[in-house]
Amino acid sequence: MTTAPRIDAVFDLDALLTPEERDWQQRARTFAQERILPVIEEDFENAYFRREFVGDLGAAGFLGMHLTGYGCAGAGAVSYGLACLELEAADSGWRTFVSVQGSLAMSAIAKYGSEEQKQAWLPRMAAGDAVGCFALTEPQGGSDPAAMTTTARRDGGSWVIDGAKRWIGLASLADVAVVWARVDDPALGEGGRAVRGFLVPTATPGFTATPIAGKLSMRASVQCDVALEGVRLPADAILPGAEGLSGPFGCLNEARYGIIWGAMGAARSCLEAALERSTSREVFGKPIGANQLTQAKLADMLVEVEKGILLALHLGRLKERDALTPAQISVGKLNSVREALAIAHQARSILAGDGITNAYPVMRHAANLESVRTYEGTDEIHQLVIGRALTGLSAF
Ligand code: TGC
């Protein structure tokens, strides 16, 4: 396969990073290249999630790495972003795992959980001894979590949850699910129902997760339908610190931030593959990279990778100052995934017929990026979030 030229060395990204950030990036790159890359084509082909990597990622410190305490590494936002970039340079499925575990499930517990809940779950999840999932999206909901119909009702000293969720990453492997549900809330008036979060051990009777079959994207990862049928939980299963949709949206901000970096990793891999082929394959008696049309494509791809990484870095620095807004996150998520997909398609055209085989990672990245474009807010949702920030008018 491709020997990887350091695309990010072209404009000396390293000069903008601290030694600690470079160290995290190098550790993630090593994990991706030594562990994930040798098996990913086979796993993608067989739709196989390699469970043993979970503990290894935990031991390496990547799970909840941007959280502090409870066994988490306490790394900065840029370090976390660089780890996402390197993991997604191998496969979006493994960046997604780290996102679901760290940015969604662990973040929800860290932001909104009681001290007991944090002690019970975060150290095990940081170590990779327990897996979490984040159950927000519903079959009829998609982009509109406000349409949620899953309910939690009080029954004596218990909560009882009923409903259905869809596209829930890792749910069939998870030990605990962060489930968002509507709760009868007298403070909201008659019929008023606030969205609240619950920690649901997946062994609880009534919780069923079924992997979604037939995926042509993210095949080395698992997404599930989840049924919640009379799931009975103790009173302290509720996350005390989250009330309303701002709870789950606060976690989506974290996951979307990781995607801003991660998608640029997939893009970089596609550019590397196209670049390698440009000098190794000859047509019409010369390397295809000696053609002006090929060079124009390569140049455009490099421009977008560099711009995307610099935007990610700027947003990361804002996040480290606690100054990153949801609209800025939408700019980054929209741009990174849209450009990464365009880069994957350009790379495929340079690779010609070989580009549709798994001798190169490009079609796999392109297929994965179709999922990344859809989850954590579609392109259209992010356009509308930006449009609302620009005009002050909501067009949802
Ligand atoms: P809206 O009226 O705008 O807001 C409702 C409440 O939420 C607050 N809020 C936010 N808070 C923090 N961060 C944000 N980004 C926030 N956006 C909104 C808002 O302030 C308000 O709070 P309060 O206290 O005033 O009530 O809500 P809306 O219904 O108009 O929402 C608009 C919209 C479209 C932006 C939102 O629904 C949206 O983002 N939709 C996209 C949903 C989405 O991204 N779903 C992804 C689900 S998770 C997933 O895909 C998992 S993939 C990983 C895996 O499991 O494999």
Side-chain angles (χ1 to χ4, degrees):
M1 252 308 306
T2 56
T3 52
R6 288 290 304 267
I7 302 293
D8 48 6
V10 175
F11 289 111
D12 198 9
L13 177 70
D14 279 2
L16 304 175
L17 305 176
T18 66
E20 186 192 354
E21 288 162 350
R22 288 199 291 269
D23 184 52
W24 275 109
Q25 180 176 22
Q26 188 52 49
R27 283 159 56 191
R29 185 186 287 246
T30 301
F31 190 94
Q33 293 186 343
E34 293 183 357
R35 307 297 308 283
I36 302 173
L37 280 183
V39 295
I40 192 61
E41 294 300 350
E42 180 187 339
D43 290 351
F44 190 88
E45 174 101 17
N46 298 330
Y48 179 67
F49 178 79
R50 203 164 281 267
R51 182 72 169 80
E52 64 268 29
F53 283 177
V54 172
D56 299 339
L57 285 163
F62 295 121
L63 303 182
M65 64 177 268
H66 57 305
L67 304 174
T68 304
Y70 307 96
C72 303
V78 170
S79 295
Y80 175 56
L82 289 162
C84 288
L85 183 148
E86 295 298 340
L87 293 173
E88 193 149 0
D91 192 75
S92 300
W94 281 104
R95 196 273 308 144
T96 297
F97 169 73
V98 167
S99 287
V100 172
Q101 178 87 345
S103 290
L104 293 176
M106 291 175 73
S107 245
I109 299 169
K111 284 176 192 285
Y112 311 127
S114 65
E115 187 55 34
E116 292 72 25
Q117 289 168 333
K118 292 177 192 177
Q119 296 284 359
W121 288 107
L122 290 179
R124 293 175 59 206
M125 293 170 83
D129 293 336
V131 171
C133 66
F134 186 86
L136 174 68
T137 302
E138 301 198 346
Q140 309 304 323
S143 292
D144 186 13
M148 184 181 298
T149 60
T150 296
T151 58
R153 64 181 165 82
R154 282 308 287 259
D155 182 26
S158 306
W159 289 102
V160 180
I161 302 187
D162 287 283
K165 302 285 180 179
R166 184 160 169 82
W167 294 116
I168 309 308
L170 307 165
S172 58
L173 304 149
D175 301 282
V176 64
V178 177
V179 174
W180 300 95
R182 284 198 181 279
V183 167
D184 285 327
D185 184 349
L188 296 176
E190 192 154 342
R193 296 174 135 197
V195 169
R196 301 295 302 258
F198 295 85
L199 292 189
V200 181
T202 55
T204 310
F207 181 100
T208 314
T210 308
I212 295 172
K215 282 185 301 150
L216 301 176
S217 172
M218 304 272 280
R219 287 177 57 78
S221 174
V222 181
Q223 286 78 32
C224 297
D225 277 310
V226 169
L228 299 143
E229 292 165 337
V231 175
R232 186 170 288 274
L233 302 167
D236 62 3
I238 196 165
L239 291 172
E243 194 163 345
L245 276 173
S246 57
F249 286 158
C251 303
L252 294 190
N253 289 340
E254 302 290 335
R256 290 168 176 171
Y257 169 75
I259 292 172
I260 295 169
W261 286 92
M264 282 297 114
R268 189 190 70 192
S269 290
C270 292
L271 173 54
E272 287 169 351
L275 198 50
E276 185 276 329
R277 200 64 173 143
S278 295
T279 52
S280 68
R281 179 166 187 242
E282 294 200 357
V283 176
F284 295 116
K286 61 182 177 185
I288 55 175
N291 293 300
Q292 290 186 357
L293 284 177
T294 304
Q295 288 196 9
K297 289 179 186 176
L298 292 170
D300 286 350
M301 292 155 74
L302 179 80
V303 166
E304 292 307 329
V305 170
E306 294 295 338
K307 278 160 59 180
I309 291 176
L310 288 173
L311 174 60
L313 182 61
H314 172 61
L315 298 178
R317 295 292 180 225
L318 288 177
K319 186 164 167 55
E320 287 174 345
R321 300 206 312 265
D322 211 14
L324 184 61
T325 67
Q328 290 167 335
I329 294 172
S330 286
V331 170
K333 201 270 185 182
L334 174 66
N335 180 74
S336 281
V337 185
R338 190 162 65 183
E339 295 306 329
L341 252 176
I343 287 166
H345 293 153
Q346 284 284 35
R348 216 292 305 156
S349 77
I350 291 174
L351 295 169
D354 292 331
I356 68 162
T357 73
N358 67 3
Y360 290 88
V362 172
M363 277 293 267
R364 176 168 53 77
H365 282 302
N368 285 340
L369 287 165
E370 290 293 344
S371 294
V372 182
R373 172 183 230 169
T374 297
Y375 70 33
E376 308 292 1
T378 61
D379 284 3
E380 294 79 3
I381 287 293
H382 291 296
Q383 286 171 317
L384 295 180
V385 170
I386 296 165
R388 181 168 64 179
L390 284 171
T391 65
L393 303 169
S394 177
F396 298 111

